[in-house]
Amino acid sequence: KTKVLIFAGDGGTFDIGFQALSGAVERGHDFCYVCFDTAAYSNTGIQRSGATPKYADTTTSPVGNKILGKMEWKKPMPLILAAHNMPYVATASVAFPIDLYKKVKKGLEMKGPAYVQVFSPCVPGWKFPTSQTVNVARKAVETCINPLYEIENGNYKLNYKPAKKINVEEYLKLQGRFKHLFKTRNKLLIKEIQKHVDNEWVKLLKLC
């Protein structure tokens, strides 16, 4: 009757620990895995990870004259794990604590492997004041950069749909890791991010 609750960061989940996680899910072990998505290897110096968004400035994807931060899109980890046909996958956010609580509770009660990915802004890595943590996390949901949904036995359910979807610029401008995008020569990159987010949102709505 033991309940197994696992905590890990996005680096250990998306990258260096994915082999073990994928194997455990495929074997059907009974656990709830909670990933704190800080979008970098936050404990070891803010290096880029598979969870780092495109154009983010990190210590291993620094902004220069030719390369403007990380050059790849964020890995869609919830969808990758859902492809394992596991019983429960969900996204959550520190800005929506009741939703987060319910999902972890459901994950623990589920028979078999469960995965909850929690959007967790990193103050030093993302370069914003501590007082803005919840605001940054909420903006990620309102822009649909970090939509809240769950996948239970293959069925998708959207948990929150913004009354009015806001532009990604409102989220990006709060963080120092994206300040280079607001230089005149780089403004088109914000439009590229907006287009990507819009496309992913449409895909998710169809799945739900």
Side-chain angles (χ1 to χ4, degrees):
K1 296 181 180 180
T2 301
K3 294 291 183 180
V4 179
L5 181 62
I6 300 166
F7 296 110
D10 55 88
T13 301
F14 284 56
D15 303 329
I16 58 177
F18 180 70
Q19 176 182 353
L21 174 58
S22 176
V25 170
E26 186 272 330
R27 291 188 297 272
H29 292 307
D30 190 9
F31 60 84
C32 180
Y33 188 109
V34 177
C35 171
F36 292 106
D37 179 10
T38 66
Y41 287 85
S42 297
N43 286 339
T44 57
I46 323 296
Q47 299 92 341
R48 68 163 319 276
S49 80
T52 306
K54 193 171 185 178
Y55 300 126
D57 182 25
T58 76
T59 55
T60 52
S61 62
V63 173
N65 292 327
K66 294 186 177 181
I67 297 177
L68 300 174
K70 187 193 174 194
M71 300 305 292
E72 303 81 25
W73 296 112
K74 180 173 183 169
K75 188 186 295 185
M77 184 55 64
L79 302 184
I80 291 170
L81 286 172
H84 288 61
N85 295 317
M86 63 188 297
Y88 188 69
V89 174
T91 63
S93 171
V94 296
F96 293 78
I98 303 303
D99 177 73
L100 167 58
Y101 172 82
K102 289 179 178 179
K103 286 172 176 173
V104 174
K105 185 174 184 291
K106 183 183 286 189
L108 282 169
E109 293 172 348
M110 194 71 62
K111 183 64 177 176
Y115 175 80
V116 181
Q117 186 168 298
V118 185
F119 192 84
S120 309
C122 172
V123 171
W126 299 13
K127 302 173 184 176
F128 63 84
T130 304
S131 61
Q132 289 297 303
T133 299
V134 172
N135 185 35
V136 168
R138 181 171 289 277
K139 283 287 197 297
V141 174
E142 299 291 347
T143 55
C144 299
I145 285 174
N146 181 64
L148 301 179
Y149 62 94
E150 55 190 340
I151 310 166
E152 190 170 347
N153 295 313
N155 297 309
Y156 284 72
K157 179 183 178 182
L158 190 66
N159 303 120
Y160 180 83
K161 187 174 183 179
K164 184 178 181 182
K165 185 169 170 285
I166 62 176
N167 293 329
V168 297
E169 186 172 341
E170 297 302 309
Y171 167 78
L172 299 173
K173 70 182 183 181
L174 297 174
Q175 305 163 61
R177 63 176 178 161
F178 292 118
K179 67 180 181 180
H180 56 287
L181 298 180
F182 291 87
K183 294 181 179 179
T184 303
R185 62 181 182 180
N186 297 334
K187 283 288 183 92
L188 286 176
L189 301 182
I190 297 177
K191 291 184 178 180
E192 180 187 347
I193 294 171
Q194 183 69 65
K195 183 178 179 180
H196 177 74
V197 170
D198 291 344
N199 288 341
E200 293 301 304
W201 177 242
V202 170
K203 289 180 189 177
L204 179 61
L205 290 178
K206 288 180 179 178
L207 289 169
C208 292

